[in-house]
Amino acid sequence: DDCNFHQVIRSERQFLTLLTYLGQILDILEDSGFTVNLAKTTVMLKLVGQKAKHLQRRFIQRRKTGGAWLMIPRRNGQCTYIKLVAQQQFLGATVSFSNFERQTMLARIKAGEKTVQQISRWIFTQKGFNVSRKNYFGDNVCSPA
């Protein structure tokens, strides 16, 4: 139920076409009975070049609460606003325009620490393993018999 789109654009025309296609994808999903969770939907966008500032002013809206949002034109004439992010998690990896390897590693370490905390609370409470099971393998797990 997750989608991930990627597009490299080289002109203002390609950018406008991409926005149109994104709006059409949202229209098709909704017409097909799917509910698009816009609270979980994000866009990563990096605009460079002579037209970058013009396109940012035209299609990116900054809000006091919640950062920047990309305006996606829809068939009904309205716009859908999708949150712009610098990075996002997808299938256990961090996706970003720079240093994604380090960001992925840090996210995985953080997730591992959280898991250790949860397991430790369970193991070392009276409701967890009893004392005889806590040392089940003993100190000689890998020593020869």
Side-chain angles (χ1 to χ4, degrees):
D1 65 349
D2 289 342
C3 295
N4 197 356
F5 300 98
H6 170 265
Q7 182 71 44
V8 175
I9 55 173
R10 302 207 189 294
S11 68
E12 179 178 6
R13 183 177 183 169
Q14 287 179 342
F15 182 71
L16 298 175
T17 300
L18 174 64
L19 291 179
T20 301
Y21 287 165
L22 288 174
Q24 290 172 351
I25 289 168
L26 293 173
D27 289 335
I28 290 168
L29 288 171
E30 290 175 356
D31 290 347
S32 299
F34 291 96
T35 301
V36 178
N37 187 345
L38 294 174
K40 291 184 177 181
T41 303
T42 59
V43 171
M44 289 177 38
L45 178 66
K46 182 176 180 180
L47 293 174
V48 295
Q50 296 175 343
K51 301 270 185 168
K53 287 188 180 186
H54 166 72
L55 293 172
Q56 287 175 351
R57 281 192 302 272
R58 187 171 167 196
F59 293 102
I60 295 176
Q61 183 182 79
R62 299 208 178 271
R63 297 181 181 172
K64 291 179 183 176
T65 56
W69 298 76
L70 180 64
M71 298 168 46
I72 308 291
R74 300 293 294 272
R75 177 179 50 213
N76 63 6
Q78 301 293 318
C79 284
T80 296
Y81 294 88
I82 299 179
K83 184 164 181 58
L84 286 168
V85 296
Q87 66 185 40
Q88 58 187 338
Q89 292 296 118
F90 188 74
L91 299 176
T94 302
V95 180
S96 72
F97 290 115
S98 64
N99 212 2
F100 60 89
E101 300 95 339
R102 179 174 168 70
Q103 294 166 348
T104 298
M105 178 192 68
L106 293 173
R108 297 191 108 170
I109 288 171
K110 186 176 179 180
E113 289 171 346
K114 183 177 178 181
T115 302
V116 167
Q117 289 174 355
Q118 292 172 339
I119 290 173
S120 294
R121 280 195 310 258
W122 182 71
I123 289 175
F124 296 110
T125 63
Q126 291 180 354
K127 296 178 184 176
F129 291 126
N130 62 32
V131 176
S132 63
R133 286 190 168 195
K134 286 181 184 177
N135 275 332
Y136 179 76
F137 293 106
D139 295 330
N140 300 322
V141 174
C142 295
S143 62

